[in-house]
Amino acid sequence: MKKILFFLALVLFVPPASQDAGAAGQGIVATVNDTPITTLDIQQRLTLLKILGERSTGPDPRKFALRMMVDEIIKIAEAKKYKMDATDKEISSQMGRMAKSMKTDSSGMESLLKKNGVEPSSLKQFIAAQIAFSRILSSKYQVKFNVEQADVDKKYSEIKNGLEQKVSTIMKDPRMKPVQIYSIIQIDLPVETPNDPMLMQARAVEAGQYIKQFKGCGSARAAASGIFNVKIGKKIDAVAAKIPAPMRQALDRVGPGGAMGPARGPSGIQVIAFCGKSTVTPPKPKYELPTRQQVEAAVSNEKYATIEAKYMVEMRKHAYVEYKDQTYAQQ
């Protein structure tokens, strides 16, 4: 049962036994055998889950947290009945293993909890409940817990097939198809009075001169030599499908390294430099399969959860749970 304890220790507990008169002011939402659980307890539990990167299950995280704490109080009561409660040494040892898995020590773990507004006694009581429940399963119910390698193989295949299916679905998305990109630069020759045909004509002649001097996008600024007030824009990468067909055809005619124009623009005469085109293929999503040890841990957790659910049904029959706040009542 030690393996079970190691995997289950990744979820923390906020102990109802640590409540005092001040906690009651936080709002008691339920009592289990006269032990109160408050909104403060629930908030601390959710904070703890977040610290450890765990996620709550179900549509309402608060109810999930409450259900966990109710079950833990019942486990502790059952353990005391059969004198199977954990010793301080066992609790400290397990806390040390948990801290090590988080790359810290017991002192560092306590500091982390306090920093986030959670009392260390919460973790200690959770560990005590898990140790006690494991003893109840093995001693009272004679439960034998084994992880078969065939189960690990099956789970590994399920995970692998699931990831491959996700990648396949993503690759079928139209957005994952290769995209042709046109790289262009907009060159403007502004005209102070765009409605003046003489000025526009003069600038069009200068634009023609610019095009003759243009020898590719690397010469965009040099081509403006001797021409007054030429505005060289930044290179733009445009998706071919979004460029109007006439413009795309004109760009193809001049070819990469050429310039298209002159044409009338919003502020005067405009030239479009065609730097080149390329094809961009979105990268295939990458994924990393879990290690066999991680898969074995997942199988172990699933098996334990099934066993726990089965025997908790019986244990809950001997506990009295009263919901003070009906919005938290379990279905």
Side-chain angles (χ1 to χ4, degrees), residues 99-261:
K100 186 176 180 180
S101 71
M102 296 179 66
K103 299 183 179 180
T104 183
D105 54 20
S106 296
S107 177
M109 175 76 82
E110 290 190 11
S111 296
L112 177 63
L113 295 177
K114 288 180 178 180
K115 181 180 178 181
N116 287 276
V118 180
E119 289 299 320
S121 57
S122 302
L123 172 58
K124 294 177 181 179
Q125 186 159 337
F126 168 76
I127 293 172
Q130 294 304 320
I131 292 174
F133 187 61
S134 294
R135 288 174 177 168
I136 291 171
L137 289 178
S138 59
S139 299
K140 180 181 178 180
Y141 296 110
Q142 301 294 308
V143 174
K144 294 182 179 180
F145 186 87
N146 295 309
V147 176
E148 302 294 339
Q149 291 307 302
D151 293 332
V152 178
D153 292 338
K154 181 181 178 182
K155 186 67 174 180
Y156 187 89
S157 294
E158 289 176 356
I159 294 173
K160 182 179 179 181
N161 292 337
L163 289 172
E164 289 177 346
Q165 182 61 45
K166 286 182 179 179
V167 171
S168 177
T169 300
I170 291 173
M171 293 307 295
K172 291 177 182 177
D173 190 313
R175 290 171 294 181
M176 295 301 292
K177 293 182 178 179
V179 176
Q180 193 171 49
I181 302 295
Y182 279 58
S183 296
I184 60 176
I185 295 177
Q186 181 175 307
I187 297 98
D188 290 309
L189 287 76
V191 176
E192 291 184 7
T193 311
N195 293 328
D196 188 326
M198 296 294 290
L199 291 177
M200 290 293 285
Q201 180 61 34
R203 285 300 257 171
V205 171
E206 290 179 323
Q209 179 185 343
Y210 177 89
I211 293 173
K212 287 181 180 180
Q213 296 175 175
F214 183 81
K215 305 299 181 182
C217 289
S219 69
R221 294 196 178 280
S225 178
I227 305 173
F228 173 73
N229 193 21
V230 178
K231 307 292 185 181
I232 310 296
K234 293 182 179 180
K235 186 167 72 171
I236 299 171
D237 290 333
V239 177
K242 295 185 178 181
I243 300 175
M247 180 178 178
R248 190 169 64 248
Q249 292 165 2
L251 288 170
D252 287 336
R253 281 195 295 271
V254 301
M260 182 183 75

Side-chain angles (χ1 to χ4, degrees), residues 3-13 52 54 94-95 97-99 101-102 109 123 126-127 130 301:
K3 179 179 285 187
I4 296 174
L5 291 176
F6 176 76
F7 294 129
L8 290 179
L10 293 178
V11 181
L12 298 183
F13 169 72
L52 296 182
E54 298 289 335
Q94 182 62 14
M95 184 173 177
R97 287 192 289 272
M98 288 180 62
S101 71
M102 296 179 66
M109 175 76 82
L123 172 58
F126 168 76
I127 293 172
Q130 294 304 320
N301 286 338

Side-chain angles (χ1 to χ4, degrees), residues 11-19 27 29-33 35-49 61-77 118 122 125-126 129-130 308 312 316 319-321 323 328 330:
V11 181
L12 298 183
F13 169 72
V14 176
S18 66
Q19 302 305 315
V29 299
T31 58
V32 185
N33 297 333
T35 300
I37 298 176
T38 70
T39 54
L40 178 61
D41 293 322
I42 293 172
Q43 183 55 53
Q44 287 191 59
R45 170 57 61 89
L46 293 174
T47 301
L48 285 166
L49 292 174
R62 299 171 305 160
K63 285 187 177 181
F64 174 80
L66 177 60
R67 180 59 174 260
M68 291 177 70
M69 288 184 282
V70 167
D71 285 353
E72 287 159 3
I73 294 172
I74 294 173
K75 291 174 185 177
I76 293 169
V118 180
S122 302
Q125 186 159 337
F126 168 76
Q130 294 304 320
E308 181 182 38
M312 281 306 301
R316 287 189 196 105
Y320 178 70
V321 181
Y323 294 98
Y328 285 87
Q330 307 291 319

Side-chain angles (χ1 to χ4, degrees), residues 238-280:
V239 177
K242 295 185 178 181
I243 300 175
M247 180 178 178
R248 190 169 64 248
Q249 292 165 2
L251 288 170
D252 287 336
R253 281 195 295 271
V254 301
M260 182 183 75
R264 180 161 186 156
S267 60
I269 298 299
Q270 188 178 84
V271 172
I272 302 296
F274 187 16
C275 302
K277 57 183 176 181
S278 59
T279 299
V280 176

